[in-house]
Amino acid sequence: MRRIGWDIGGAHLKAAVAEDGRIVAVVQEPCALWQGLDRLDAAFAAVLDRIGAHDRHQATMTGELVDLFSSRAEGVAALAARAAQHLGADVTIYAGRAGQVAADGAAAHADDVASANWHATARLTAAALGDGLLIDMGSTTTDIIPIRAGAAAARGYSDAERLATGELVYTGVVRTPLMALAADIPFAGRRLGVMAEHFATSADIWRLLGRLPEGADQHGTADGRGKSVAESRLRLSRMVGVDVAEASAAAWRDLAAAFAEAQIRRIQDAAATVLSGAGLPAAAPIVACGAGAFAIEEVARRLGRPCRPLADLIPATDPALAMAAAACAPAAAMALL
């Protein structure tokens, strides 16, 4: 049996292919869904061209949140219809606590379908692990999900509920505007206010620090320029109103590290909040996945817990594919569950 799992996001379309219970392919395609459904059409066409024939499709989504739609329900209905158009009428849509539903029935389960991709990743993790704290840091958001006794033990379900519990942190390793990470920042012996402008993103700081995974940054930059270290440094300089030539390369790297610290600390604080009510054993590991899994390793260290890559729990034909699947965990979950 060949299964294709899909994660229809607002910025990316991700697909994972499983054969005989193992991941054999993973594809991620940029998809600026907020610019129109034609972007999703193009992304589906590109991914299908790469993965070829199929037997069964299962999809989850977060793209219903983009400002193309007036409500989550409208978005769920539109994306489910598009999935059926490209993948066939028998595609099923993941409705989390309500299970799989037919594409033409997704709108009736909009509250369960909307942004339920975290639930799929949690189920995949729980199937292989008794207790742990799953942290999935993607390009845009970070999910923090307790796993207890082999089951997801999240207190929230909707985005609003999960924001309130700390289980959803709206920060990611690629697309987060730096103005969202700190109101002021240390630089060259002073503490400077951060410009409230979309001058640079988190991809720029992690690129300057040499930690950005290859292929993680698939969208255009804040200023439309390239993605070299020098161009990232230029974008970063605008955040504090200082020309690049006025400081050394080391000073700009230190500034990137200060923004990175602000981002990691935010995730650490949220994880500590979730842990405080999760009732997990002291030895329960933090399971890291997503494009920002490398940053979650530091969160685990600070919280005094072992860190286990989700890639270790994903059956795949080789370790590189397991790592790619862990970076696209909801799609992998849809293919394997």
Side-chain angles (χ1 to χ4, degrees), residues 164-189:
T165 61
E167 293 166 346
L168 172 61
V169 185
Y170 233 89
T171 194
V173 76
V174 175
R175 300 183 62 245
T176 302
L178 294 192
M179 60 181 170
L181 297 183
D184 53 73
I185 202 84
F187 180 69

Side-chain angles (χ1 to χ4, degrees), residues 130-223:
D131 297 294
L133 186 70
L134 172 65
I135 306 184
D136 181 352
M137 184 180 187
S139 65
T140 310
T141 62
T142 300
D143 296 310
I144 303 174
I145 309 157
I147 307 296
R148 191 169 58 241
R155 290 190 296 153
Y157 187 87
S158 69
D159 281 339
E161 291 168 350
R162 297 177 62 238
L163 286 168
T165 61
E167 293 166 346
L168 172 61
V169 185
Y170 233 89
T171 194
V173 76
V174 175
R175 300 183 62 245
T176 302
L178 294 192
M179 60 181 170
L181 297 183
D184 53 73
I185 202 84
F187 180 69
R190 299 173 292 172
R191 194 159 191 99
L192 300 182
V194 173
M195 300 285 194
E197 292 282 358
H198 185 53
F199 283 141
T201 66
S202 49
D204 291 309
I205 62 172
W206 292 115
R207 184 179 292 110
L208 277 177
L209 296 173
R211 301 300 306 275
L212 187 67
E214 184 178 355
D217 185 9
Q218 295 190 313
H219 284 273
T221 60
D223 62 1

Side-chain angles (χ1 to χ4, degrees), residues 220-227 231 234-235 238:
T221 60
D223 62 1
R225 290 183 169 88
K227 297 178 181 178
E231 288 162 316
L234 174 60
R235 286 187 287 272
R238 297 192 186 102

